[in-house]
């Protein structure tokens, strides 16, 4: 099985380029950003080829924050909103979602309310530390939205 994670000088694990392999023409093969993203999503979901250990899923949950695509947020949301999933994995997915939302400048309230309490707590703590205005603006935005009968949603 190909090792794709290692601890670097910073102490943070992250996706690593596989060693260069000589191709038929003597070139090297590397994963593109899209391929790394897809591989990390497979690892997060536990569907990557060759089997996946829990610590690899933890690493993938953290590393996916660096790939803020819709596919990544969907995968992180899927795991983070599953109350039957490992609590640490849920918390790591929620933390990565928070990082993506901070970078985008908006918290996805519909996702936040679906998270189990420990996942929601991770998001709220990280956003409160890094961009507390996003929590306040989210609360204001939700208060201004009305349903079809004109009532305010809470």
């Amino acid at each position: 099985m190909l090792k794709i994670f290692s601890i670097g000088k910073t102490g943070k694990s992250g996706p690593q380029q596989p060693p260069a392999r000589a191709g038929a023409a003597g070139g090297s093969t590397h994963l593109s950003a899209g391929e790394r993203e897809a591989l990390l999503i497979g690892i997060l979901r536990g569907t990557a080829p060759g089997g996946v250990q829990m610590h690899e899923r933890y690493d993938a949950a953290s590393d996916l924050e660096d790939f803020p695509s819709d596919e990544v947020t969907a995968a992180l949301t899927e795991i983070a909103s599953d109350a039957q999933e490992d609590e640490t994995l849920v918390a790591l997915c929620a933390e990565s979602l928070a990082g993506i939302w901070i970078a985008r400048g908006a918290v996805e309230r519909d996702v936040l309310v679906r998270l189990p309490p420990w996942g929601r707590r991770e998001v709220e703590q990280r956003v409160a530390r890094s961009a507390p205005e996003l929590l306040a603006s989210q609360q204001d935005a939700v208060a201004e939205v009305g349903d079809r009968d004109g009532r305010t949603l809470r």
Side-chain angles (χ1 to χ4, degrees):
M1 187 163 142
L2 179 64
K3 181 179 178 185
I4 62 164
F5 292 93
S6 69
I7 303 296
K9 291 181 188 176
T10 64
K12 181 182 179 196
S13 66
Q16 304 295 313
Q17 289 291 339
R21 297 184 201 164
S28 63
T29 304
H30 292 284
L31 296 176
S32 71
E35 291 168 329
R36 285 193 309 265
E37 178 181 307
L39 181 59
L40 286 169
I41 289 171
I43 292 169
L44 175 67
R45 289 181 169 148
T47 60
V52 179
Q53 296 180 10
M54 188 56 76
H55 73 275
E56 293 171 316
R57 293 181 76 198
Y58 292 165
D59 288 342
S62 295
D63 294 337
L64 280 167
E65 181 179 337
D66 297 331
F67 299 88
S69 70
D70 290 341
E71 293 80 13
V72 166
T73 57
L76 290 168
T77 298
E78 172 189 326
I79 303 298
S81 61
D82 184 352
Q84 301 303 310
E85 190 62 75
D86 176 85
E87 286 186 25
T88 300
L89 185 60
V90 166
L92 289 168
C93 288
E95 187 174 3
S96 287
L97 281 170
I100 291 169
W101 294 340
I102 290 166
R104 289 180 176 177
V107 173
E108 292 183 32
R109 185 74 176 166
D110 60 323
V111 173
L112 183 61
V113 298
R114 293 192 335 236
L115 301 181
W118 58 93
R120 195 173 317 118
R121 185 172 44 251
E122 289 295 325
V123 169
E124 290 170 348
Q125 288 175 351
R126 179 152 184 205
V127 173
R129 281 191 313 267
S130 301
E133 69 279 1
L134 294 181
L135 289 176
S137 66
Q138 259 329 101
Q139 292 168 351
D140 294 342
V142 171
E144 293 174 9
V145 175
D147 66 10
R148 290 188 179 131
D149 297 327
R151 295 185 306 247
T152 301
L153 298 176
R154 295 278 173 207

